[in-house]
């Protein structure tokens, strides 16, 4: 049986990002590429209550897509556990390793997701390439191949097109109708980035 994968989203320095005040002990990467886990966090005293008392972990990649932040770690727990709708709350936890997620990867992942809806837009506006050019500029910027000024100009042009209004119109509704399948794709792609299975943000295929 596969081990359950648990995640914790934090600031890069170990401070909380989605609420809380604790500073987590960070894992250390060894010269051979393995990781030494961080120290176990002090045991929580009292009843575990979601959003109130306990260490909060994300217990599924499908849910992780709702909790993105500056740094993502694989975590484990011991002792008591309470499951909530979009998280689990535990008495003791530690960080095992930092996953491959940073500002660059986040930009590339966003490009991948935006690119998925381009065919809907370009079917209606086949001559308007500004949204596609904006995504391409964002990819280049993430990879150090474009300046911030180039990125800003490309996105300004995209939003000056019909991209924004089309998003709020019927073709956005058509995309939303297949939300479950699209979210499944997003989660699979996110995990590929986190595990280092893809890193250069190449264009994606169905």
């Amino acid at each position: 049986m596969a081990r359950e994968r648990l995640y914790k989203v934090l600031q890069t320095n170990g401070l909380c990002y989605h609420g809380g005040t604790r500073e987590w002990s960070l894992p250390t990467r060894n010269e051979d590429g393995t990781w030494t886990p961080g120290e176990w966090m002090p045991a929580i005293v009292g009843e575990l209550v979601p959003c109130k008392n306990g260490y909060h972990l994300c217990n599924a990649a499908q849910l992780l897509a709702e909790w993105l932040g500056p740094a993502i770690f694989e975590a484990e727990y011991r002792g008591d556990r309470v499951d909530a709708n979009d998280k689990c709350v535990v008495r003791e936890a530690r960080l095992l390793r930092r996953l491959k997620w940073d500002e660059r990867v986040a930009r590339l992942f966003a490009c991948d997701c935006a690119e998925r809806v381009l065919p809907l837009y370009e079917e209606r506006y086949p001559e308007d390439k500004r949204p596609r050019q904006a995504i391409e500029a964002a990819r280049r910027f993430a990879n150090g191949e474009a300046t911030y000024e180039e990125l800003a100009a490309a996105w300004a042009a995209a939003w000056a097109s019909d991209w924004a209004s089309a998003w709020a119109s019927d073709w956005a509704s058509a995309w939303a109708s297949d939300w479950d399948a699209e979210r499944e794709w997003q989660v699979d792609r996110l995990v590929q980035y986190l595990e280092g299975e893809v890193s250069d943000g190449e264009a994606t295929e169905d």
Side-chain angles (χ1 to χ4, degrees), residues 158-176:
W159 286 102
S161 69
D162 291 306
W163 174 262
S165 60
W167 173 258
S169 69
D170 57 343
W171 70 266
S173 299
W175 176 69

Side-chain angles (χ1 to χ4, degrees), residues 23-188:
E23 181 176 354
W24 287 65
S25 174
L26 297 177
T28 303
R29 187 164 191 173
N30 305 311
E31 291 184 359
D32 62 0
T34 62
W35 288 85
T36 299
E39 299 294 327
W40 284 99
M41 297 294 286
I44 295 296
V45 177
E47 180 183 2
L48 298 179
V49 180
C51 300
K52 292 184 179 181
N53 191 46
Y55 296 112
H56 294 68
L57 304 176
C58 182
N59 57 352
Q62 290 85 348
L63 302 176
L64 182 60
E66 305 289 342
W67 293 97
L68 298 179
I72 301 174
F73 299 86
E74 184 181 354
E76 68 176 353
Y77 79 98
R78 65 187 182 188
D80 300 335
R81 168 174 168 169
V82 173
D83 287 304
N85 291 333
D86 59 350
K87 64 180 74 71
C88 66
V89 185
V90 301
R91 193 167 301 281
E92 294 183 77
R94 68 175 179 175
L95 305 178
L96 297 176
R97 62 185 176 119
R98 181 172 175 177
L99 300 174
K100 295 183 181 297
W101 182 261
D102 53 23
E103 182 178 351
R104 172 182 175 273
V105 174
R107 287 183 182 276
L108 293 174
F109 176 62
C111 288
D112 292 348
C113 294
E115 192 174 55
R116 296 273 293 178
V117 301
L118 271 177
L120 297 172
Y121 179 83
E122 292 179 341
E123 181 178 1
R124 177 181 291 185
Y125 304 101
E127 303 302 320
D128 189 355
K129 301 303 180 184
R130 287 173 292 182
R132 179 173 295 277
Q133 290 165 353
I135 295 172
E136 292 171 351
R139 285 193 189 281
R140 293 197 305 273
F141 180 80
N143 289 317
E145 299 168 356
T147 66
Y148 179 79
E149 289 73 19
E150 291 172 320
L151 175 67
W155 278 101
W159 286 102
S161 69
D162 291 306
W163 174 262
S165 60
W167 173 258
S169 69
D170 57 343
W171 70 266
S173 299
W175 176 69
S177 68
D178 200 22
W179 170 255
D180 290 341
E182 190 62 24
R183 176 43 60 94
E184 182 178 355
W185 181 91
Q186 291 175 354
V187 169
D188 289 345

